[in-house]
Amino acid sequence: MRRSAILAAVLTIAFSCPAVSETVLTEAGGDTFAAGETLVRTLDADRDVFAAGRSTTVLGETQGDLHVSGFDVKMSADVVEDAYAAGATVTISGSVDKDLSVAGFTVRLEPSARVGENARLMAATLNIEAPIAGSLAATGRDVYLNAAVTGDARIFAKSLRFGPDARVDGQLIYSTEDKLDVPTTVASPDRVRFEQVDTGRVWDELDNIREMPILPTMASMLFGFLITLLFFVVLGAIALGFFPKRLETMRMSVSDAFGQTAILGVVGLSLLFGAVPVVALTIVGLPLVPIILLLIVATWTLSYALGAYAIATRLWFGLGGDADPGMLIRLVILAAAIVAIALLNFIPFVGWVVNYTLVLLGLGAITRLVFGAMVGSPEPALDVDMRETEAS
């Protein structure tokens, strides 16, 4: 119980401080405690060791128990007593003289590992390729056994496979969806027992965590970008098709008065965000807050597209492009601008500054148009005979 409380404290320290990259090492009562964002530790301990981190790798040897946790765990240390590991992916390659207990999304016992007594393993995907001198208790969605088990083996799985080196010297009791034809090289028929278990929704729930969470692949990122690019091109086509004059007016305001438009963008952004607390304070306006938030998101997106289009067309004209390009050329200009800005996002800080500037410019042009529509055109000046005066 005391060890569980201490391990919980170490985990709390490790995962509540994501900005800390250095390793924190301390000792208490002869036990060793290590925590860090990326922890790589070579052990030489006489008593128990507790290690926690987002990525945790332990090497060396400990004479006591070993407790390891993290998102990515690699345990290559030799343990004289018991070993405990938990994480998204857990790889065991060291020897454990006594019991081994492991839980994770994906767990693998490599051939170089060895378990001196019992092994208790639980994972969505479980690969067992290390010899176990005691008994095995394994639970997983997909379980692969390719090692010798000296004692009994109790396996609860949806999918159970045996490798060429799989062997169970004791009783093999397994529970799967369907009865298997267990090879005699694994265990003789008189030592194999199938137990039908009603799993209910257990495996359906495990389908969602079959593998550890991973970063999006390059293909999925590219697909997402293409969808975003298509969205902005369609948005540009709608604006050019239905509001060409207003779009040209806003583009010209960005091109002809860059500084004033940016300042108006700050004003417009302040009005939008300031409307949230102002409306909320009226109490009766609370239902309108979600609508205002959606309006902020929509306006931000439109401003970004308008700013990119205005700057890109200014560059087009500056490089000697056609002074009155057709709609197709304008859409190509917008698409090229979105691609260029996306590439700038890979540059830290610079990408954010460019994106934010484009939003301010686009929002400034929109704000100028809205204010102009609200104020309207001034009435012409009249003389004493109520006739329009000519401008001097």
Side-chain angles (χ1 to χ4, degrees):
M1 192 70 181
R2 181 180 67 88
R3 289 177 178 174
S4 300
I6 295 174
L7 179 59
V10 173
L11 289 173
T12 302
I13 294 172
F15 292 105
S16 63
C17 304
V20 178
S21 60
E22 70 273 10
T23 299
V24 178
L25 182 66
T26 186
E27 291 187 4
D31 296 336
T32 302
F33 302 87
E37 184 173 357
T38 301
L39 179 64
V40 179
R41 189 71 185 170
T42 300
L43 306 177
D44 185 13
D46 295 329
R47 288 180 56 85
D48 299 345
V49 175
F50 298 82
R54 291 187 177 177
S55 176
T56 308
T57 302
V58 288
L59 310 165
E61 181 180 4
T62 176
Q63 300 298 317
D65 296 340
L66 176 60
H67 305 254
V68 186
S69 65
F71 191 82
D72 185 12
V73 174
K74 296 179 181 178
M75 196 175 81
S76 300
D78 295 331
V79 184
V80 175
E81 297 291 335
D82 300 332
Y84 306 85
T89 58
V90 181
T91 303
I92 310 294
S93 58
S95 63
V96 180
D97 289 352
K98 293 189 178 180
D99 296 338
L100 172 66
S101 301
V102 182
F105 291 157
T106 302
V107 173
R108 181 170 185 244
L109 273 62
E110 296 187 338
S112 60
R114 181 183 63 83
V115 180
E117 295 185 5
N118 298 336
R120 310 130 181 157
L121 312 173
M122 183 174 64
T125 302
L126 179 58
N127 292 329
I128 307 169
E129 301 181 74
I132 299 171
S135 298
L136 168 66
T139 300
R141 187 187 187 282
D142 298 312
V143 177
Y144 175 66
L145 177 62
N146 187 34
V149 179
T150 303
D152 298 334
R154 180 65 174 90
I155 302 175
F156 180 80
K158 180 179 182 180
S159 170
L160 174 60
R161 296 179 297 118
F162 298 100
D165 297 329
R167 190 185 80 245
V168 178
D169 295 339
Q171 293 287 325
L172 172 58
I173 305 172
Y174 71 95
S175 298
T176 55
E177 289 188 333
D178 301 309
K179 189 174 182 179
L180 304 176
D181 184 12
V182 179
T184 56
T185 56
V186 176
S188 58
D190 61 303
R191 292 186 289 107
V192 177
R193 186 167 83 246
F194 170 69
E195 292 185 355
Q196 184 70 48
V197 177
D198 183 10
T199 59
R201 297 178 57 190
V202 172
W203 305 128
D204 294 334
E205 295 297 331
L206 282 175
D207 279 339
N208 298 325
I209 57 171
R210 187 169 186 176
E211 297 293 340
M212 62 166 284
I214 58 175
L215 293 175
T217 62
M218 182 60 67
S220 62
M221 294 176 64
L222 180 60
F223 179 75
F225 172 73
L226 291 177
I227 294 297
T228 303
L229 181 61
L230 179 62
F231 167 77
F232 280 113
V233 170
V234 172
L235 186 64
I238 293 174
L240 288 169
F242 290 92
F243 319 106
K245 292 183 178 180
R246 291 184 179 179
L247 181 62
E248 183 64 17
T249 300
M250 291 187 289
R251 185 196 68 78
M252 290 295 296
S253 68
V254 175
S255 178
D256 297 341
F258 187 92
Q260 289 182 3
T261 305
I263 293 175
L264 282 174
V266 174
V267 174
L269 197 61
S270 301
L271 290 174
L272 282 174
F273 281 96
V276 175
V278 170
V279 172
L281 285 173
T282 64
I283 306 300
V284 295
L286 283 174
L288 298 177
V289 170
I291 299 176
I292 297 176
L293 293 176
L294 289 175
L295 178 63
I296 292 174
V297 174
T299 305
W300 186 285
T301 304
L302 292 173
S303 300
Y304 174 82
L306 177 58
Y309 173 73
I311 296 299
T313 51
R314 176 67 181 270
L315 291 175
W316 167 266
F317 296 144
L319 294 174
D322 188 358
D324 187 21
M327 177 184 291
L328 181 60
I329 298 299
R330 291 178 183 271
L331 291 178
V332 171
I333 293 173
L334 174 61
I338 298 299
V339 172
I341 297 167
L343 294 176
L344 286 175
N345 287 331
F346 289 98
I347 304 176
F349 182 72
V350 174
W352 163 249
V353 171
V354 171
N355 279 271
Y356 188 58
T357 302
L358 292 177
V359 171
L360 289 181
L361 291 173
L363 185 55
I366 295 174
T367 303
R368 185 191 296 273
L369 184 67
V370 172
F371 282 1
M374 292 175 62
V375 174
S377 300
E379 296 294 335
L382 304 176
D383 60 12
V384 293
D385 297 322
M386 302 300 292
R387 293 179 297 184
E388 295 185 12
T389 58
E390 296 183 0
S392 56

